[in-house]
Amino acid sequence: ALASVLEGNIAVKQKNAGLASQKYEEAIYFDPKCTEAYLKYADIYKSANASLAIEKLNQLKDLEPSNTAVDKKLAEIYSFNKAVEAYANFAMGPTATEEDLVKYAFALFLNHDFDKSLEVANMGLQKNARHAAFNRLAMYNYTDLKRFDEALKAADVFFKECDKADYSYLDYMYYGHLLESLKKYDDAVVQYEKAVKMDPTKTDLFKNISSAYEQKNDYKKAISAYQKYYASLDKEKQTPDLQFQFGRLYYGAGTQPDSLAITVEERKQALMSADSTFHAIAEAAPDSYLGNFWRARANSALDPETTQGLAKPFYEEVAALLESKNDPHYNSALVECYSYLGYYYLLAIENPALKAEAKANKDKSIEYWSKILA
């Protein structure tokens, strides 16, 4: 059997996978418990034909149920759920190495079992407090468990004290998520930018950058970052729901609290951009009320005293659409429409230019407030 294994190893070196698998099969024929032959055979097929590799390993597992080398190899091949089971058979045992614990903790993390993954990572940290992978997993798991203060401590160790740390875009992305959750928005942006620089294909991170700027009311930078994200998408992926976020950002810029960061004219321009964006969405998705609903909000902000009634036609259109749906789910949106329209007609009662229509406007206003009560 061992001679056949040696021949198989030579064939692998010569990149002759067919001959190698034949020789390993031959070794198993001579010695059905030749562990090395099963493992080498599985190595050949784990990428090309995983089911064949698993089948071969399970044959050995049936013969030697306690053979942890088989569990290790199965863990490399199985999907995350089965990998966790396979790693559990050996990674917590006395023969487990640091690498075994890392693989087990990472499999648990990928399986979203953050508590257990953290437990295993902390076991590793007890043995080696400066181990990069264990600190990385501690940061990831604490972040996903929303234990942000502990995550920040793990991040400090990971980025400042670890031995042989090889940082990836995922590390900077998680650190960005953590800092954003702690409302350290400028610091979060720095980490997101490092992540994109490390892997320029991860353009989704521009959304995170935009979100961080939005949360600190820096709408100019939020819009700029979102434009980078949107521009990175193929044309067919530039859907109305993504355009909607543009409108929201323009609306936010136009309605943000007074500050030196934006002038009255810039506020007006932002609201007009919001209006045109929501107009395009309303045309692209006529069955949805959201385009005209937010268009009404933008026009209401352009006419804060409600003297021009800029939002009136849009609130009327939304109200008619939502009334036809007859669904309580839309009640809060309807209340907003009725409140605006009731107030518009209330002001119209006192308008000298509309004196002849005062009674009709009063009735109309009462009608909308009554609809809210109903």
Side-chain angles (χ1 to χ4, degrees), residues 9 15 34 73-74 80 83 97 99 111 137 154 208 226 235 256 297 309 324 339 343 347 361:
N9 292 348
K15 296 184 169 45
C34 182
K73 191 59 66 177
L74 282 168
F80 297 144
T97 64
E99 189 62 25
N111 212 35
L137 283 163
N208 297 96
Y226 197 79
K235 210 71 176 166
Q256 66 182 297
R297 287 178 167 178
S324 71
S339 296
Y343 184 65
L347 293 181
N361 288 332

Side-chain angles (χ1 to χ4, degrees), residues 202-220:
K202 305 298 181 185
T203 54
D204 270 15
L205 288 169
F206 285 119
K207 276 198 298 184
N208 297 96
I209 293 171
S210 177
S211 171
Y213 279 128
E214 182 185 2
Q215 289 178 87
K216 59 173 293 207
N217 291 327
D218 190 339
Y219 285 96
K220 284 182 182 177

Side-chain angles (χ1 to χ4, degrees), residues 133-368:
F134 291 132
N135 280 292
R136 168 186 284 121
L137 283 163
M139 178 181 74
Y140 287 8
N141 285 304
Y142 279 131
T143 300
D144 282 321
L145 290 167
K146 303 191 186 307
R147 293 164 62 177
F148 300 127
D149 290 338
E150 291 158 296
L152 193 58
K153 288 176 186 173
D156 283 341
V157 176
F158 177 55
F159 285 106
K160 296 173 184 175
E161 299 177 24
C162 279
D163 298 322
K164 299 176 184 174
D166 186 14
Y167 302 125
S168 71
Y169 92 90
L170 202 60
D171 298 330
Y172 295 120
M173 184 191 82
Y174 255 90
Y175 196 19
H177 290 338
L178 168 59
L179 292 166
E180 187 176 355
S181 300
L182 290 167
K183 299 184 179 179
K184 299 180 181 228
Y185 301 122
D186 288 329
D187 293 337
V189 166
V190 170
Q191 300 308 318
Y192 288 140
E193 286 176 342
K194 284 181 182 177
V196 178
K197 189 174 181 181
M198 184 158 275
D199 188 345
T201 67
K202 305 298 181 185
T203 54
D204 270 15
L205 288 169
F206 285 119
K207 276 198 298 184
N208 297 96
I209 293 171
S210 177
S211 171
Y213 279 128
E214 182 185 2
Q215 289 178 87
K216 59 173 293 207
N217 291 327
D218 190 339
Y219 285 96
K220 284 182 182 177
K221 289 181 179 176
I223 291 166
S224 174
Y226 197 79
Q227 283 171 334
K228 289 178 184 176
Y229 162 68
Y230 191 77
S232 74
L233 300 172
D234 295 333
K235 210 71 176 166
E236 64 271 13
K237 291 182 180 177
Q238 295 176 344
T239 53
D241 59 312
L242 296 184
Q243 289 178 311
F244 182 79
Q245 176 63 3
F246 266 126
R248 272 192 66 259
L249 289 171
Y250 284 125
Y251 178 78
T255 58
Q256 66 182 297
D258 289 336
S259 71
L260 297 174
I262 187 168
T263 66
V264 173
E265 184 57 33
E266 285 174 327
R267 196 186 299 276
K268 182 180 177 183
Q269 286 299 322
L271 288 169
M272 289 173 68
S273 294
D275 177 55
S276 62
T277 303
F278 293 131
H279 182 199
I281 291 168
E283 290 189 332
D287 294 336
S288 170
Y289 77 97
L290 286 171
N292 279 319
F293 187 62
W294 278 84
R295 198 173 182 201
R297 287 178 167 178
N299 278 277
S300 179
L302 281 165
D303 176 26
E305 302 299 324
T306 320
T307 53
Q308 301 173 69
L310 296 182
K312 180 175 176 282
F314 309 114
Y315 275 127
E316 285 175 333
E317 196 168 332
V318 172
L321 176 62
L322 296 185
E323 284 170 349
S324 71
K325 293 182 183 292
N326 194 28
D327 184 344
H329 176 75
Y330 298 112
N331 278 0
S332 63
L334 274 171
V335 167
E336 184 176 324
C337 296
Y338 295 153
S339 296
Y340 177 89
L341 294 166
Y343 184 65
Y344 170 81
Y345 283 108
L346 184 66
L347 293 181
I349 298 168
E350 304 298 328
N351 189 336
L354 300 173
K355 196 170 183 180
E357 301 161 39
K359 185 180 184 309
N361 288 332
K362 181 180 178 181
D363 291 343
K364 201 77 175 164
S365 183
I366 290 172
E367 177 190 332
Y368 282 116

Side-chain angles (χ1 to χ4, degrees), residues 14 29 37 49 53 64 69 78 95 106 109 154 157-158 224 250 261 281 328:
Q14 294 172 333
Y29 172 77
N49 191 336
E64 298 183 5
Y78 278 154
T95 61
F106 198 65
F109 167 75
V157 176
F158 177 55
S224 174
Y250 284 125
I281 291 168

Side-chain angles (χ1 to χ4, degrees), residues 92-108:
M92 305 295 273
T95 61
T97 64
E98 280 187 349
E99 189 62 25
D100 294 333
L101 281 176
V102 168
K103 287 182 178 178
Y104 184 33
F106 198 65
L108 287 162

